[in-house]
Amino acid sequence: MNPLCSRCNLVVYPTEKVNCLDKYWHKGCFSCEVCKMTLNMKNYKGFEKRPYCNAHYPKTNFTCVADTPENLRLKQQSKMQSQVLYREDFEKNKGKGFSVVADTPELQRIKKTQDQISNIKYHEEFEKRKVGVDAPQKPSSPSPAAYQPSAGSQNYNFESAPEPARQAAAGPPPSAGKRYRAVYDYAAADEDEVSFMDGDVIVDVQQIDEGWMYGRVERTGQQGMLPANYVEAM
């Protein structure tokens, strides 16, 4: 049985049959969809199973794909497949020079314990250094013999010379070294730390490390550690 022509819907006989684009055509019906120019197997261009000449061949443009539920499902499926491939590659490469450690609650607890131990050791070392530097030297006490009167002076009565008037106690000498001004309020969190207020002057400052200093608050006279980012140099 002879097929029908895709253009005119009439029977196509073998002598005039053109088989192209999965369809059958008369030789005269195999023409451009736009200008109706007769085409052959060498100069036609197919688009959506329709013949076109070179001049009227449709130009494909990019179109915006709607975010439909079906497209979302396909996108999610593609993402899951990518994760499966990633896990397969990870299992293959595991043990080849690197490993990934999950941040589990147990590891967090161990990390916190190590931080606390390091902090305790740091304060112990600081206290040892502070005791070695700040320990005041006691003046040597005079021997009792220095206050005993001589034998010759015991036989005479004499009036002791009046004591000179005591001078008023001089204030503390001006502090030497670097001076800093507090730019924030700070409340001491440990016994070896010192509290201060915004605007206080910190003197006798010693740099411990990048984050901590040791100094004395000029307003209160308290000494101790303080965070370095809470003060600025004067």
Side-chain angles (χ1 to χ4, degrees):
M1 182 177 180
N2 295 322
L4 300 178
C5 176
S6 295
R7 177 79 69 192
C8 64
N9 247 358
L10 298 178
V11 177
V12 180
Y13 295 99
T15 55
E16 54 181 359
K17 181 172 65 174
V18 175
N19 184 6
C20 187
L21 300 175
D22 296 333
K23 297 179 181 179
Y24 296 97
W25 316 76
H26 291 105
K27 290 182 180 180
C29 293
F30 189 64
S31 59
C32 176
E33 291 286 326
V34 178
C35 63
K36 306 303 179 183
M37 181 182 74
T38 303
L39 304 172
N40 55 42
M41 300 298 293
K42 294 181 180 181
N43 61 0
Y44 86 96
K45 286 191 174 183
F47 182 78
E48 295 183 353
K49 295 188 178 182
R50 290 290 179 180
Y52 292 89
C53 65
N54 189 35
H56 296 101
Y57 180 75
K59 294 181 180 180
T60 56
N61 296 324
F62 293 102
T63 58
C64 181
V65 179
D67 203 6
T68 61
E70 180 64 19
N71 288 335
L72 290 174
R73 186 187 64 81
L74 294 174
K75 182 179 179 181
Q76 183 68 19
Q77 185 176 359
S78 300
K79 185 177 180 180
M80 293 174 62
Q81 291 176 351
S82 299
Q83 292 178 351
V84 170
L85 293 175
Y86 169 77
R87 291 182 181 276
E88 289 179 354
D89 291 337
F90 170 75
E91 291 296 331
K92 291 179 181 178
N93 295 323
K94 187 167 62 176
K96 294 184 179 180
F98 65 91
S99 60
V100 178
V101 179
D103 196 7
T104 61
E106 179 66 19
L107 290 177
Q108 291 180 356
R109 185 187 64 79
I110 295 174
K111 182 179 178 181
K112 186 176 180 181
T113 303
Q114 292 176 348
D115 291 341
Q116 292 176 350
I117 293 174
S118 300
N119 193 21
I120 292 173
K121 289 184 178 179
Y122 168 77
H123 284 290
E124 288 178 355
E125 293 294 332
F126 173 75
E127 289 295 331
K128 291 179 181 178
R129 291 198 301 267
K130 187 175 70 174
V131 170
V133 173
D134 297 341
Q137 297 181 356
K138 295 182 178 179
S140 58
S141 59
S143 61
Y147 294 97
Q148 294 179 0
S150 61
S153 63
Q154 295 179 358
N155 299 326
Y156 300 95
N157 294 325
F158 62 93
E159 295 181 357
S160 59
E163 295 182 359
R166 295 183 179 178
Q167 298 180 354
S175 57
K178 296 183 179 179
R179 295 168 63 87
Y180 288 78
R181 179 181 289 108
V183 294
Y184 303 103
D185 294 346
Y186 181 74
D190 289 325
E191 295 180 356
D192 59 350
E193 296 180 5
V194 64
S195 301
F196 51 85
M197 299 176 63
D198 184 9
D200 282 348
V201 177
I202 314 299
V203 298
D204 301 335
V205 177
Q206 300 178 14
Q207 189 74 33
I208 303 301
D209 55 24
E210 294 182 359
W212 289 91
M213 296 178 171
Y214 183 84
R216 176 170 60 88
V217 182
E218 195 172 50
R219 178 176 57 85
T220 61
Q222 295 181 349
Q223 298 183 14
M225 294 179 58
L226 61 144
N229 59 345
Y230 275 62
V231 298
E232 62 180 7
M234 296 178 60

